[in-house]
Amino acid sequence: MAGLFQKVLIANRGEIALRIQRACRDMGIPSVAVHSTADAQAMHVRLADESVCIGPPAARESYLNAASILSAAIVTGADAIHPGYGFLAENAEFAEMVEAHGLTFIGPSPAHIRMMGDKIAAKAAMATLGVPLVPGSDGEVTRIEQARAVAARIGYPVLIKAAAGGGGRGMKVAHDAEGLEEAWRVARAEARAAFGNEAVYVEKYLDRPRHIELQVFADATGNVVHFGERDCSLQRRHQKLLEEAGSPALTAEARARLGTTATAALARLGYRNAGTLEFLYQDGQFAFIEMNTRLQVEHPVTEMLCGIDLVREQIRIAAGETLGYGQEDIAFSGHAIECRINAEDPENFTPTPGLVEAYHAPGGLGVRVDSALYAGYKVPPFYDSLVAKLIVHGPTRAQAIARLARSLAEFAVIGIKTTLPLHQRIVADQRFQAGDYDIHWLERFVAGT
Ligand code: ADP
């Protein structure tokens, strides 16, 4: 594998930087870590072959500082950049800048990143490619009267969504005509503040869907495969907390239909590298909501299910290799579940940065922990609160759940509060164990209603 790239710069931090560093090392490719001044003692830096400080703590001056990251790549002799997730991962200008300097961006083409970064354009493209959508406005809605007319046609409740939205922000529900004006105003204001773009559209607000997403991969020769679905219905404030592969809700027929529709669409699009198509699934129907043009936080459940290293595949394809296998060669085995463990108070979800006094990660067969934590590490207050991912695999869903409960009980993060106790409660719940939940369930579970 060495020889694909001279050196890969990893433009990220924490667990995902470590995850990418491990894939590079397994492939014999040297890598460079970058870090802010707040992250000088971070594990992704301590374990790095080489590291470069790219700026002060504020992300916009370090991990979002394209010029600083590109300079770090050039001075260290890196010829490729892996962006991870978040930060610059879905920034088309950054991908263009990387390529303009003769380096390889490990991801899709800037044109596809740009297209899917605008949810209105993404929906329009998917509709053309024969992918079913959530009913809603035909493109952007620029006037409140237009939103009213769409809502009257599709029926309340409706969702006002930001075209540039992400991380569950810029999204407001209107339950009736009276609530529409407020939702319209707040969604646009939030979109303007968070994304600098107030364009919004209207969608039917589904009352009990599951969030089902499909992991796809494509090479430059037009070979497109998928690595199965993930069920990410357990969410709070539209943010995923626990993910499963496969979904406990899909029949073999629905699963096959999803795979065929999505891979055919991406082949026609000429997509390359890793991508995830997100759908809402209700009453046996899939409806596309958005596509993510990057590695996802929850990618390990797919890796556990298929026994494949998705980061390695990203690197190989970016270097111009072909997949070298077809859909029929991909085997799915057992069941996998991931818990996102955040440095947050499990009661009220306020962030809990601070000193980790002691740390013990679970282990054993079928247990994986992706984390950059260690005893003596001080979780900085500047970044995302995700500090560990616990991923388990078992021959059946029931065995995976048993392994998850056991692993959560072994997991010790002392000194700061984390969401570990919340995961313990979810996993012990009968509804979760039965696989009987939709995207609204966790919110009610947390509220105790
Ligand atoms: P983001 O890019 O902010 O993650 P998404 O469009 O992916 O936004 O939506 C995030 C989550 O919000 C979904 O997983 C789902 O739980 C909820 N959601 C989005 N669209 C709808 C809808 N039309 N009806 C009900 N829930 C929705």
Side-chain angles (χ1 to χ4, degrees):
M1 282 296 127
L4 288 180
F5 292 114
Q6 296 292 321
K7 203 183 267 187
V8 172
L9 179 132
I10 302 161
N12 216 302
R13 64 178 301 280
E15 70 85 18
I16 197 63
L18 203 48
R19 164 74 191 86
I20 299 161
Q21 189 181 105
R22 285 172 171 151
C24 290
R25 202 161 274 150
D26 288 352
M27 296 172 83
I29 304 173
S31 65
V32 184
V34 295
H35 66 91
S36 68
T37 50
D39 275 343
Q41 296 305 316
M43 193 52 110
H44 78 277
V45 179
R46 294 179 66 177
L47 292 180
D49 301 333
E50 201 177 339
S51 61
V52 180
C53 180
I54 49 163
R60 66 174 185 286
E61 294 178 60
S62 50
Y63 298 104
L64 288 170
N65 184 340
S68 185
I69 290 169
L70 206 52
S71 307
I74 292 165
V75 299
T76 54
D79 53 352
I81 296 186
H82 195 306
Y85 56 69
F87 296 129
L88 297 167
E90 287 171 300
N91 185 315
E93 288 77 46
F94 177 66
E96 276 165 353
M97 227 167 120
V98 170
E99 302 202 331
H101 285 79
L103 283 77
T104 302
F105 179 79
I106 300 174
S109 71
H112 284 143
I113 297 175
R114 184 168 286 122
M115 173 190 280
M116 299 307 169
D118 176 344
K119 293 183 182 185
I120 293 174
K123 283 186 80 171
M126 288 297 161
T128 316
L129 297 166
V131 177
L133 308 180
V134 178
S137 59
D138 185 15
E140 186 184 347
V141 168
T142 52
R143 289 175 300 114
I144 180 82
E145 297 75 38
Q146 229 179 323
R148 263 200 207 100
V150 174
R153 174 167 59 78
I154 61 177
Y156 286 93
V158 298
L159 205 50
I160 311 285
K161 294 175 83 171
R169 283 179 307 168
M171 211 185 293
K172 287 284 165 264
V173 189
H175 291 281
D176 45 39
E178 288 71 61
L180 187 70
E181 191 143 353
E182 161 96 1
W184 165 266
R185 207 170 36 74
V186 176
R188 279 167 71 94
E190 210 171 288
R192 200 181 317 116
F195 314 109
N197 173 0
E198 62 177 13
V200 293
Y201 59 106
V202 181
E203 243 174 32
K204 176 86 187 161
Y205 184 64
L206 299 183
D207 60 345
R208 50 190 166 78
R210 297 181 80 111
H211 173 116
I212 308 277
E213 59 183 37
L214 191 73
Q215 177 70 61
V216 291
F217 248 89
D219 66 23
T221 67
N223 185 17
V224 184
V225 297
H226 71 80
F227 290 108
E229 84 281 359
R230 296 184 283 258
D231 192 321
C232 313
S233 303
L234 291 182
Q235 304 180 354
R236 184 182 160 269
R237 301 206 171 155
H238 310 304
Q239 299 245 47
K240 300 159 188 168
L241 283 187
L242 182 153
E243 303 96 348
E244 305 196 48
S247 168
L250 290 197
T251 60
E253 179 279 322
R255 182 170 286 131
R257 177 156 41 99
L258 176 66
T260 313
T261 314
T263 51
L266 287 198
R268 280 184 58 197
L269 194 65
Y271 191 79
R272 194 190 65 224
N273 217 293
T276 299
L277 287 121
E278 296 193 337
F279 297 87
L280 295 180
Y281 178 72
Q282 186 168 312
D283 302 324
Q285 301 302 320
F286 292 100
F288 172 83
I289 47 173
E290 69 158 341
M291 178 167 181
N292 293 315
T293 54
R294 55 166 159 83
L295 187 69
Q296 307 247 146
V297 175
E298 60 273 23
H299 77 277
V301 286
T302 301
E303 297 187 319
M304 302 289 269
L305 202 73
C306 301
I308 192 147
D309 180 337
L310 292 175
V311 176
R312 178 191 185 95
E313 294 308 274
Q314 283 192 296
I315 294 172
R316 282 204 313 113
I317 289 167
E321 289 204 348
T322 58
L323 281 168
Y325 49 82
Q327 191 63 53
E328 62 287 354
D329 301 312
I330 299 167
F332 301 91
S333 154
H335 193 90
I337 308 176
E338 171 182 281
C339 290
R340 294 190 188 194
I341 296 150
N342 293 339
E344 287 171 7
D345 186 316
E347 301 291 328
N348 56 27
F349 301 95
T350 52
T352 54
L355 180 68
V356 176
E357 290 159 11
Y359 177 76
H360 175 77
L365 182 64
V367 178
R368 165 176 172 182
V369 177
D370 278 19
S371 172
L373 286 184
Y374 60 88
Y377 176 62
K378 211 166 170 190
V379 176
F382 311 106
Y383 314 107
D384 192 87
S385 61
L386 178 75
V387 288
K389 303 188 306 202
L390 168 61
I391 308 109
V392 297
H393 181 261
T396 63
R397 185 169 185 268
Q399 287 175 76
I401 291 175
R403 220 163 242 173
L404 183 56
R406 186 266 290 169
S407 303
L408 284 165
E410 283 178 24
F411 212 150
V413 182
I414 312 296
I416 57 166
K417 284 186 177 177
T418 72
T419 49
L420 274 165
L422 172 64
H423 285 292
Q424 286 185 297
R425 285 210 296 130
I426 294 171
V427 169
D429 188 85
Q430 188 275 327
R431 283 283 291 273
F432 171 74
Q433 291 180 5
D436 177 21
Y437 55 81
D438 60 33
I439 62 163
H440 305 301
W441 180 75
L442 185 64
E443 206 87 51
R444 292 194 296 267
F445 179 80
V446 167
T449 54

